[in-house]
Amino acid sequence: MYKISMVSLGCPKNQVDAEKMLYLLKNGGFEIGCEEAAADAIIINTCGFIEDAKKEAIENILEASQYKKDGNCKALIVTGCLAERYRDDVTEEIPEVDVCVGIGANENICEIVKQAIEGNCQNAFGEKEAFSLSGDRILGGLPFSTYLKIGDGCDNCCTYCAIPKIRGRMRSRTIEDCVEEAKKLAEMGVKELTVVAQDTTAYGTDIYGEPKLCELLRELCKIEGLHWIRTLYTYPERITDELLELMNGEEKLVKYLDIPIQHVNGEILKKMNRRGDYESLSALIDRIREKVPGITLRTTLITGFPGETDEHFEQMARFVKEKRFDRLGCFTYSAEEDTIAAEMPNQIDEQTKVDRMVHIMENQLTISAEINAAKCDTDTEVLIEGWDDYIKCYFGRTPADAPEVDGKIFFLSHRRIKIGDFVQVHINDTLDYDLLGELICDEA
């Protein structure tokens, strides 16, 4: 039995692809989950979205290649977005890689890996749609929290983004298919389900002729065992009153929205092929908070997009201060080849991009600390994720914290409690992005 080790990088959508490949490999007779030093084959499931992600992928590939010299590894295989985007260039530019596997060939991963281990190393590609969005998975993270990938690809065609070229046009799963998988996950012990796609608010438009996210969420809320359902990657122009009313009324739907606005200046947004401007986005944030009291809002921003002036940037910085997002990530613009924005005039120098990003994040640090401080002496529900042996306390996440991207709450308990349970915690102190507290109704 051949032994396989896999490293998966990038976003939750890529993680779901990795988990599907692991299921195929295990079902195909391979031993999965072993240490890299003992593996017959090492798979690096890569991200290739922006320059930093590509660098991370290459670093992981080169680190894994050492096991071909010092370990048991007979084949180093690269899958995921970097493989799909650059195809044969991967093995040509990185000779340590034995096989490059495009997204459309993931269904054949068992045969590809077997052949590679036995010395027949052939790159494999196919139509992007060939890798089914349905199918069983082996969950790689915490057994009680995972992602439900409801679609792949994207039709938004933002000028800075290579996703449509990598993943293709948007394709949604049917509501029935998504619900069937969610039920299986709940039966496996999943209590928190995070719904993801490139643009979740566009879900269903390709197969139903109109967005169907609300209909899907209503069906997911009926599933016994699911306690928290969270939705990521909701685009501002498609956030409807129906969605907000549903979120405010359904107990299982976490009052949390991730809205990647990227910028607030109308001129820059138009160049990005995005909609909106300062006034419309400001009105949207106000409307969301009015219709869903207590909601947690997360966004992402890009600094240094081609043509961004000091005035454009100052408008964005002012927006951040005024709207006080609970969670915010800011990234410098990455000029990706084969994108429209990369060919635009007035490219911004790297230091200016970084300086602007740092300015935004410094302001957000203050905002986040103030928002957290206001939570002191309040109670919150917490999903217990683990025990920190160094500081001798439990840790978990509140409804305001999405997996992997947001903060934690660290809390004391004088009795043993079960990882994966939901408990009530009293918040009594804060860190910049994290909270401190103690279990309510604790017994000495």
Side-chain angles (χ1 to χ4, degrees):
M1 180 185 292
Y2 291 131
K3 298 178 180 179
I4 308 298
S5 176
M6 179 183 282
V7 176
S8 190
L9 307 171
C11 69
K13 301 177 289 292
N14 207 42
Q15 180 180 322
V16 171
D17 289 354
E19 292 171 351
K20 289 185 61 185
M21 284 190 283
L22 286 173
Y23 177 85
L24 292 172
L25 288 163
K26 184 175 182 180
N27 204 44
F30 294 86
E31 179 183 336
I32 63 171
C34 68
E35 295 293 327
E36 288 181 324
D40 294 295
I42 299 174
I43 301 172
I44 310 295
N45 190 44
T46 60
C47 176
F49 179 43
I50 58 175
E51 191 63 31
D52 286 347
K54 288 182 278 188
K55 289 178 180 177
E56 181 186 24
I58 292 168
E59 288 170 2
N60 274 269
I61 290 167
L62 295 179
E63 286 176 11
S65 71
Q66 294 302 309
Y67 292 102
K68 294 173 69 175
K69 302 174 183 176
D70 306 329
N72 191 52
C73 182
K74 302 175 184 64
L76 178 57
I77 299 164
V78 174
T79 61
C81 288
L82 189 79
E84 178 64 34
R85 186 173 185 182
Y86 295 105
R87 299 205 162 200
D88 292 324
D89 291 345
V90 174
T91 46
E92 291 175 7
E93 297 294 328
I94 314 175
E96 292 86 350
V97 175
D98 296 296
V99 177
C100 183
V101 183
I103 293 165
N106 283 354
E107 292 282 359
N108 303 318
I109 192 67
C110 291
E111 184 60 25
I112 293 168
V113 171
K114 179 177 180 295
Q115 291 293 325
I117 291 172
E118 295 174 356
N120 183 18
C121 297
Q122 297 287 330
N123 290 345
F125 307 102
E127 295 298 322
K128 296 175 176 63
E129 296 77 15
F131 188 40
S132 172
L133 299 179
S134 307
D136 293 317
R137 299 151 52 189
I138 292 179
L139 303 185
L142 298 170
F144 46 82
S145 177
T146 193
Y147 300 95
L148 178 68
K149 184 175 176 179
I150 62 174
D152 202 10
C154 188
D155 290 343
N156 290 332
C157 297
C158 302
T159 59
Y160 53 82
C161 183
I163 289 297
K165 295 181 182 296
I166 299 171
R167 291 279 176 174
R169 300 202 62 177
M170 187 187 76
R171 55 190 180 111
S172 304
R173 301 169 64 181
T174 65
I175 291 175
E176 294 78 11
D177 190 36
C178 293
V179 171
E180 182 181 356
E181 180 178 356
K183 286 179 178 177
K184 286 182 181 178
L185 292 169
E187 290 168 0
M188 293 165 58
V190 170
K191 300 176 183 179
E192 179 189 37
L193 195 65
T194 303
V195 176
V196 295
Q198 299 297 338
D199 175 0
T200 54
T201 38
Y203 166 76
T205 53
D206 55 321
I207 55 177
Y208 298 115
E210 60 183 350
K212 289 291 184 178
L213 179 62
C214 289
E215 286 82 348
L216 173 60
L217 292 176
R218 286 191 187 95
E219 293 302 313
L220 294 177
C221 286
K222 297 175 184 177
I223 298 174
E224 186 176 350
L226 295 181
H227 188 75
W228 281 354
I229 300 171
R230 189 187 305 270
T231 306
L232 300 185
Y233 317 125
T234 58
Y235 276 54
E237 62 268 26
R238 297 192 182 97
I239 295 174
T240 62
D241 285 350
E242 182 186 14
L243 176 61
L244 299 178
E245 289 162 8
L246 181 65
M247 184 167 291
N248 195 48
E250 283 281 3
E251 281 190 9
K252 289 186 179 183
L253 289 182
V254 176
K255 292 183 178 181
Y256 181 108
L257 273 180
D258 169 61
I259 313 171
I261 62 174
Q262 311 303 9
H263 214 285
V264 303
N265 176 266
E267 181 182 341
I268 295 296
L269 285 168
K270 187 174 182 180
K271 287 182 178 180
M272 290 179 168
N273 196 33
R274 299 293 296 263
R275 300 178 190 173
D277 54 24
Y278 191 104
E279 290 74 21
S280 64
L281 289 168
S282 179
L284 172 65
I285 301 306
D286 292 345
R287 178 165 61 92
I288 292 171
R289 286 176 168 154
E290 177 187 352
K291 289 189 172 291
V292 192
I295 192 170
T296 297
L297 293 181
R298 177 180 179 84
T299 196
T300 50
L301 299 170
I302 296 173
T303 60
F305 189 81
E308 182 188 62
T309 64
D310 288 342
E311 290 75 19
H312 294 150
F313 170 71
E314 287 164 5
Q315 188 179 45
M316 183 162 67
R318 187 169 71 251
F319 189 89
V320 169
K321 285 184 177 180
E322 288 179 0
K323 293 306 167 187
R324 296 175 62 83
F325 286 92
D326 303 270
R327 310 281 184 258
L328 186 146
C330 190
F331 305 90
T332 58
Y333 166 71
S334 176
E336 295 300 307
E337 62 265 45
D338 298 323
T339 62
I340 294 172
E343 304 301 322
M344 287 181 177
N346 301 315
Q347 297 284 328
I348 307 299
D349 69 273
E350 208 59 40
Q351 190 58 53
T352 299
K353 295 179 192 178
V354 172
D355 289 345
R356 290 174 177 176
M357 180 270 291
V358 169
H359 180 82
I360 293 288
M361 292 311 298
E362 285 178 346
N363 284 339
Q364 183 61 32
L365 179 62
T366 300
I367 292 168
S368 295
E370 290 171 354
I371 289 173
N372 271 357
K375 296 178 181 179
C376 281
D377 205 27
T378 65
D379 302 336
T380 184
E381 187 174 37
V382 172
L383 173 57
I384 311 170
E385 290 189 311
W387 167 263
D388 190 310
D389 202 44
Y390 180 73
I391 57 177
K392 304 298 181 185
C393 71
Y394 290 94
F395 63 89
R397 286 180 293 106
T398 76
D401 301 304
E404 302 180 84
V405 294
D406 292 331
K408 304 280 188 187
I409 181 167
F410 298 86
F411 62 98
L412 298 172
S413 173
H414 297 295
R415 61 180 173 88
R416 293 185 64 125
I417 48 181
K418 187 178 178 182
I419 307 302
D421 278 357
F422 291 87
V423 295
Q424 290 291 319
V425 172
H426 184 75
I427 301 168
N428 53 30
D429 205 350
T430 70
L431 301 172
D432 291 332
Y433 293 109
D434 299 317
L435 300 171
L436 305 174
E438 59 183 311
L439 189 70
I440 294 174
C441 299
D442 209 356
E443 298 174 3

